[in-house]
Amino acid sequence: MTKFLLAVHVLAAIVAIGPVTVAASMFPPAARRALAAPDDARAAETVQLLHRICRVYAGVGIAVPVFGFLTAGAMGVLGDAWLIASVVLTVLAALVLVVLVLPRQEILAEGTTGDGSGTGTGTGAGTGTGGTATHEASRAATVQLAMFTGIFNLLWATVTVLMIVRPGSTTGA
């Protein structure tokens, strides 16, 4: 049963976390392109799609720690330091995704729809610098999002290494 649980845990990580890390990494440059070309429907659709991938696969990603705990229980390693460190880093990664990445993606995605509700949709009408200020704010938002996405990806990469190397483990590597 342990091998089955481990296989499901690893497959869930590949199928669920992989798409989130890729789509989240692609989102900031796609948002910059969409915000720079507000009349480009395809660019806006790309941003919407990337955000949807992140949201959906983040939900599916709940299977990863569920099967991880089941596997760890079956292996008898729930108290091992490498597993505790992995759990802490997984919780941090989930928080970064839910609190810092997805909400910022939502704001930027709304800004590409052309409905005027999000960052980057200002027209700059009136004073001559409004459009430039809005563009700079949009760019800053995408840069900040890229940073948070990088932190999320780095946390998951660290968890992956801990799961493979299992420092101090007596169950074999």
Side-chain angles (χ1 to χ4, degrees):
M1 185 59 137
T2 301
K3 289 182 182 183
F4 171 76
L5 291 172
L6 181 58
V8 173
H9 172 62
V10 170
L11 286 171
I14 292 168
V15 170
I17 306 305
V20 174
T21 59
V22 172
S25 296
M26 293 173 65
F27 187 95
R32 278 192 288 276
R33 282 190 298 276
L35 292 168
D39 296 331
D40 186 351
R42 186 172 181 150
E45 291 167 359
T46 298
V47 169
Q48 298 293 328
L49 175 64
L50 291 171
H51 179 57
R52 189 173 332 118
I53 289 169
C54 290
R55 273 193 343 259
V56 169
Y57 282 94
V60 173
I62 293 170
V64 177
V66 168
F67 281 98
F69 277 115
L70 292 172
T71 303
M75 293 174 66
V77 296
L78 283 171
D80 286 10
W82 65 269
L83 184 70
I84 293 168
S86 294
V87 169
V88 168
L89 292 173
T90 298
V91 168
L92 286 174
L95 286 173
V96 168
L97 182 64
V98 171
V99 175
L100 300 173
V101 174
L102 292 176
R104 283 169 174 78
Q105 282 185 350
E106 182 76 28
I107 292 166
L108 287 165
E110 288 173 0
T112 65
T113 61
D115 63 5
S117 64
T119 302
T121 59
T123 63
T127 63
T129 60
T132 302
T134 301
H135 176 72
E136 290 302 317
S138 297
R139 174 144 177 80
T142 62
V143 168
Q144 186 180 52
L145 176 59
M147 177 190 67
F148 291 135
T149 300
I151 292 168
F152 169 76
N153 291 342
L154 183 60
L155 288 167
W156 272 116
T158 305
V159 169
T160 301
V161 170
L162 283 172
M163 291 289 159
I164 294 168
V165 176
R166 300 187 298 183
S169 173
T170 59
T171 60

